Amino acid sequence: MSNKLISQMGLPSSLANVFAARNILTAKDALSLPEFDLVALLDVDRDQVRTAVARISEIACPPWRTALSLMEDRAVTGGYLPTRLLGLDRALRGGIPFGSLTELVGPSGIGKTQFCLKLALLAALPPSYGGLNGRVIYMDTESKFHSTRLIEIGRSSFPHIFNSEGMAQEMAGRIIVLRPASLDELTESLQQIQLIILQHDVKLLIVDSMAAILLGENKRSTTGQKQHSCHLPLSFLKSLAEFSQIPIVVTNQVRSQNNYEVVHFPFQGNMDTTSCKLEKLESHLIPALGIQWAHAVTIRLIFEAHSGQRFIKISKSPTSPAIAFPFLVKSSGIALLSDEGLEVTGSEMNTIRCEGLNVLVEGAEPFPHLGC
């Protein structure tokens, strides 16, 4: 809630205008300053500042909830967007959860966008077909969204709807596609999304892909700017998920990292590299966005390939076991080959493999010194 605008907090218009004139626009801007500094900056008396800060704090801080009230709300709203992949939905206790970030990680061409397109259709479908009957915001940062493929998935998956006159157009018309080409455009779009969600009954937000934007920014920016560039969309998306209580899905690329990098994190201090036999260290794939991003997401699904087969693996979840499902991509989108899944243990939970299939490895350049 730190990004909530002060202009939306019900302060007296005269005082709200003073905050705006001093470029104090969000709850974070106001609450980050000591009371004395606010009095001096706003040039108003201390009582007004204290009243305003109390109001801002009350609105910005999420209200406390009991476990019972959360359980009752989940029972009423459903709390999940089902993927229609029976085994995956069962393992996720219902599907993609509302009010949190779900991340899809994997190499290019393995099926992440296909998964997103199907989710977009499911959110737009009428409730009688298991949908959310809402609009979808699809942020397409790599121009991978294709309406023809969307309609193909719809007609193959839901022929009774999409073969009816005008229904394909109606479903496609509920999906709002934005194509930010830079971090600045992404940031501007995110700042506008909160209002769009309220005005247009949005039920799903997809960012495909987040890594593409930050990787491009990484090539253009200095190190200090890189750290800031990761924090802004991360904190905003988390706040937006909590505020809107809709599912937010982001895709992440992968990059190569060898074990030489692994043993050189700053917290490990100086290490004797001569004993590491670096020539024998193998390279492996890791998410392009690093540890801070990994901690922020609630659900992480890894898309990987090995033994000539593709898998969706639940790598991180507060309620689900670590389990992998073999899948293939059909005209109807992602289809599981088995609803039982394969148990995943140990290091396999976070391993990303890309063997036996002709898929591209994205994000070859790392984010040096970047905690995201």
Side-chain angles (χ1 to χ4, degrees):
M1 296 295 182
S2 63
N3 293 302
K4 191 170 181 61
L5 297 176
I6 291 176
S7 61
Q8 300 175 354
M9 294 188 177
L11 296 179
S13 58
S14 58
L15 187 56
N17 291 337
V18 174
F19 274 95
R22 300 298 188 272
N23 202 34
I24 303 176
L25 305 178
T26 67
K28 181 179 180 181
D29 296 336
L31 300 178
S32 297
L33 293 172
E35 181 182 289
F36 179 82
D37 292 347
L38 269 179
V39 170
L41 185 60
L42 298 176
D43 193 22
V44 298
D45 63 64
R46 180 169 294 183
D47 288 341
Q48 283 183 289
V49 169
R50 286 179 174 174
T51 301
V53 168
R55 173 66 176 170
I56 293 169
S57 299
E58 179 184 1
I59 295 177
C61 294
W64 61 268
R65 301 288 302 276
T66 66
L68 176 61
S69 67
L70 290 172
M71 185 170 61
E72 290 172 343
D73 284 354
R74 185 62 55 90
V76 172
T77 63
Y80 296 92
L81 170 61
T83 67
R84 294 292 188 91
L85 303 174
L86 181 59
L88 184 61
D89 285 341
R90 185 189 301 142
L92 291 173
R93 305 295 192 267
I96 306 300
F98 292 177
S100 58
L101 294 181
T102 296
E103 179 192 37
L104 315 180
V105 183
S108 178
I110 200 164
K112 302 187 301 294
T113 295
Q114 304 298 315
F115 190 86
C116 289
L117 291 174
K118 186 67 169 286
L119 286 180
L121 285 174
L122 290 170
L125 284 177
S128 57
Y129 288 88
L132 301 181
N133 199 37
R135 293 182 180 271
V136 176
I137 297 177
Y138 197 115
M139 303 189 74
D140 178 26
T141 68
E142 296 183 284
S143 298
K144 289 184 176 180
F145 181 95
H146 294 288
S147 57
T148 53
R149 176 58 178 148
L150 181 80
I151 299 302
E152 180 186 20
I153 292 175
R155 284 181 172 152
S156 297
S157 303
F158 315 105
H160 296 300
I161 296 178
F162 279 79
N163 290 334
S164 300
E165 185 176 355
M167 288 302 294
Q169 290 81 353
E170 181 178 343
M171 293 297 102
R174 294 183 179 183
I175 300 172
I176 303 167
V177 180
L178 304 176
R179 286 195 165 123
S182 66
L183 180 63
D184 288 340
E185 290 184 18
L186 174 67
T187 302
E188 184 178 352
S189 297
L190 288 175
Q191 291 171 345
Q192 297 172 353
I193 277 176
Q194 183 170 313
L195 184 59
I196 294 175
I197 288 175
L198 294 175
Q199 292 179 339
H200 297 283
D201 196 28
V202 172
K203 296 296 178 66
L204 173 65
L205 168 62
I206 295 171
V207 184
D208 184 19
S209 86
M210 179 60 70
I213 286 287
L214 295 181
L215 182 62
E217 196 71 17
N218 177 58
K219 295 177 180 178
R220 295 188 294 269
S221 305
T222 64
T223 300
Q225 291 171 320
K226 292 173 197 172
Q227 293 188 7
H228 173 72
S229 70
C230 175
H231 299 160
L232 178 61
L234 175 60
S235 62
F236 194 95
L237 285 171
K238 284 186 66 67
S239 297
L240 185 62
E242 294 169 2
F243 164 77
S244 63
Q245 283 300 299
I246 65 170
I248 295 182
V249 176
V250 298
T251 66
N252 190 359
Q253 300 174 355
V254 297
R255 69 175 181 89
S256 297
Q257 181 189 52
N258 59 40
N259 291 344
Y260 179 84
E261 293 179 270
V262 175
V263 299
H264 277 76
F265 286 118
F267 61 77
Q268 293 175 309
N270 295 325
M271 300 188 66
D272 182 10
T273 58
T274 59
S275 63
C276 292
K277 298 181 180 180
L278 299 179
E279 69 276 6
K280 295 184 179 180
L281 299 180
E282 298 177 351
S283 64
H284 59 283
L285 298 180
I286 61 172
L289 303 179
I291 191 68
Q292 185 172 1
W293 186 271
H295 286 316
V297 299
T298 303
I299 304 290
R300 168 173 275 180
L301 303 180
I302 290 177
F303 287 62
E304 63 178 2
H306 57 88
S307 305
Q309 182 62 64
R310 305 181 193 216
F311 293 86
I312 300 175
K313 179 167 60 181
I314 301 176
S315 173
K316 178 185 178 183
S317 168
T319 61
S320 309
I323 189 170
F325 298 91
F327 77 92
L328 48 80
V329 180
K330 303 169 62 176
S331 61
S332 59
I334 299 291
L336 299 185
L337 294 178
S338 170
D339 289 322
E340 297 306 316
L342 307 170
E343 183 181 0
V344 179
T345 59
S347 62
E348 286 295 309
M349 291 175 60
N350 298 307
T351 300
I352 305 175
R353 290 184 286 181
C354 181
E355 306 167 1
L357 288 176
N358 184 24
V359 292
L360 303 176
V361 177
E362 303 168 296
E365 294 189 17
F367 290 85
H369 312 296
L370 188 57
C372 63

